[in-house]
Amino acid sequence: MTRVIVAGGGTVGLSTALFLAHHGVRALVVERADGPSAHPRATGLSFRTLEFLRQAGIADAVEAVAIRRTATLGKIYAPTLATADLPDTPPAVPNTPNLAASRHSPSVLRGTCPQDRLDSVLLTAARERGATVAYSTTLVSFEQDDTGVTAVLDGPDGRRTERADCLVAADGGRSEVRAALGIGTTGPGALGKPLLNILFRADLTPYTKGHHFANCTITTPESPGMLVTVDAEKDWIFHTELGDEPVDAFPPSRCAALIRAAVGVPDLAVEVLSVLPWRVRGLLADRFRAGRVFLAGDAAHAVPPLGAFGANTGMADAHNLAWKLAAVLDGAAGPALLDTYEAERRPVAALALDQALRRLEDPRLHWEQGPSAAAARAAAGVVNAPVVHLGYRYDSAAVLGARAELPSTEDVVLDGTPGSRLPHAWVSAEVSTLDLVGRRLTLLTGPGAGAPTGDFDFHVVEDEEWLRDTGIADGGAVLVRPDHFIAWRGRPDEAAGAVARVLAR
């Protein structure tokens, strides 16, 4: 029997299946499209997301398909790309990863990973670990009772019924599962005008002059929009307004003409690969759970793209939910543990949405750095992006002694406080403290504390600076959940009692 049905086979749906498989839970993913999307869509993976992939054992596979790029101009503006004021000499490419990031995380991606490439790795890994991914399959309806969920599916072989313990809705911002449950949303909804996302191939290196940038706002009246880097050489995306016209009013020839005008080269050789309509949306579901059904990703929160908070927040939903579902389904935890999914993830999603909306009002608050930018962010209530991605905190029944308030809105603070992500330190050449955390709760302490007994894994960390930073240098210990978050901090001989409370036994 399938333990979990996942509605939606995009990045969040595939992540859910993979993370469940990591914890030994079989999932069935149903996706109405006939295969993975070839459109890159999001390209930025946060350090926290990379930690999920590292834990799932696919970090190297993602690195292999990532686009190598370590020097970037960030966001630029120009009438056309050809007239952009770019230096003739590109900046030197550093040979080392971002040092600020490495202080906080063991995971650094040397470049970007467009969503289509990431999905190809997620799909392969999920299937290899036992998940079933069914394309051209629609979730027609579902019903839940005290023991499970019954779903009616329509696929290539006709209509069939599947029974599962739970259903995870990862079916996008217009989630049919959310609508069927009668769960409302708050937030501004649709923002701005409908847009056209044009994926194209063209050699733009003569106009980028060896520079890399995240995106370039084009201001020419002939074709205003935004050029977004995919590989910074031949594959690009151009976003422009769709207006009131239907998508089929933009055949490849018209799209190519818009791209030539945006680049500023009338005879540019352009191959249009894909065209998608889309619209910026901002919404937050009123609830993330209804009985045995859980909302994740855009079904729970649609976040405007500035800040790269959308897909990363969705994958964090999946990572948070997977270990809890596994613990409850395996009988290691009480059913009340599942209540902490909404209690923890909804405030984080609300923060991500709020921060994306604030950035829309003044994008410079996101891109610019330095003391003046920090002061401007503070005045506008904007939280620095690394804090949104990595520095958030949980407050729920699965955290004992939580302090949910952010110590800083500008700097990531990981100090061992319950509810925060475990601080990172290298315990050997390739092993981080995060790597010590397995599929069960894990107790970490310093040398000399003895080996306490209980239903948890146990490791000793000898790094004195890390012990001080984590607040356990005086013989204390931290109990860490499988999602790397600290559930409790105290004396090692008291850990066994903490485990029962965290797992809602």
Side-chain angles (χ1 to χ4, degrees), residues 115-156:
Q115 212 162 338
D116 60 321
R117 298 188 181 205
L118 173 62
D119 287 357
S120 69
V121 176
L122 294 172
L123 173 61
T124 299
R127 282 176 164 168
E128 287 177 348
R129 289 159 173 76
T132 300
V133 182
Y135 289 103
S136 301
T137 302
T138 302
L139 174 63
V140 177
S141 64
F142 65 90
E143 294 181 351
Q144 57 177 316
D145 53 40
D146 292 341
T147 61
V149 177
T150 301
V152 178
L153 309 178
D154 204 349

Side-chain angles (χ1 to χ4, degrees), residues 319-364:
H319 194 252
N320 180 287
L321 180 59
W323 79 268
K324 294 174 180 178
L325 280 174
V328 173
L329 293 177
D330 291 346
L337 178 64
L338 296 177
D339 293 334
T340 68
Y341 170 66
E342 178 179 313
E344 292 179 352
R345 292 306 304 164
R346 193 172 185 276
V348 173
L351 173 67
L353 174 58
D354 172 73
Q355 290 303 305
L357 292 173
R358 290 176 186 269
R359 282 160 167 77
L360 289 180
E361 298 177 7
D362 187 355
R364 293 173 301 173

Side-chain angles (χ1 to χ4, degrees), residues 393-405 417-420 486-488:
R393 298 187 170 200
Y394 290 149
D395 185 0
S396 77
V399 177
L400 309 182
R403 293 205 303 270
E405 66 278 2
T417 298
S420 64
I486 296 173
W488 168 85

Side-chain angles (χ1 to χ4, degrees), residues 381-408:
V382 170
V383 178
N384 203 9
V387 179
V388 180
H389 284 298
L390 189 62
Y392 57 85
R393 298 187 170 200
Y394 290 149
D395 185 0
S396 77
V399 177
L400 309 182
R403 293 205 303 270
E405 66 278 2
L406 292 175
S408 170

Side-chain angles (χ1 to χ4, degrees), residues 289-308:
R289 179 189 183 187
R292 292 176 172 269
V293 183
F294 302 83
L295 308 185
D298 284 358
H301 45 77
V303 178
L306 184 52

Side-chain angles (χ1 to χ4, degrees), residues 202-397:
D203 182 9
L204 302 187
T205 53
Y207 318 106
T208 61
K209 301 178 182 179
H211 292 276
H212 294 153
F213 52 82
N215 58 66
C216 176
T217 293
I218 302 295
T219 60
T220 177
E222 293 182 75
S223 185
M226 186 169 63
L227 276 171
V228 179
T229 298
V230 178
D231 67 2
E233 294 179 357
K234 64 182 188 304
D235 289 346
W236 299 82
I237 288 173
F238 183 56
H239 294 282
T240 191
E241 286 188 6
L242 178 61
D244 297 326
E245 298 182 82
V247 177
D248 56 16
F250 290 83
S253 58
R254 184 179 179 185
C255 291
L258 289 171
I259 293 163
R260 293 187 182 104
V263 177
V265 180
D267 59 350
L268 180 71
V270 177
E271 179 186 1
V272 175
L273 303 176
S274 176
V275 179
L276 290 177
W278 72 291
R279 195 167 188 178
V280 177
R281 296 181 184 275
L283 61 84
L284 179 68
D286 296 339
R287 293 180 290 148
F288 281 19
R289 179 189 183 187
R292 292 176 172 269
V293 183
F294 302 83
L295 308 185
D298 284 358
H301 45 77
V303 178
L306 184 52
F309 302 142
N312 287 296
T313 302
M315 293 180 72
D317 294 340
H319 194 252
N320 180 287
L321 180 59
W323 79 268
K324 294 174 180 178
L325 280 174
V328 173
L329 293 177
D330 291 346
L337 178 64
L338 296 177
D339 293 334
T340 68
Y341 170 66
E342 178 179 313
E344 292 179 352
R345 292 306 304 164
R346 193 172 185 276
V348 173
L351 173 67
L353 174 58
D354 172 73
Q355 290 303 305
L357 292 173
R358 290 176 186 269
R359 282 160 167 77
L360 289 180
E361 298 177 7
D362 187 355
R364 293 173 301 173
L365 296 173
H366 177 73
W367 296 104
E368 293 183 1
Q369 297 299 318
S372 61
R377 278 193 288 271
V382 170
V383 178
N384 203 9
V387 179
V388 180
H389 284 298
L390 189 62
Y392 57 85
R393 298 187 170 200
Y394 290 149
D395 185 0
S396 77

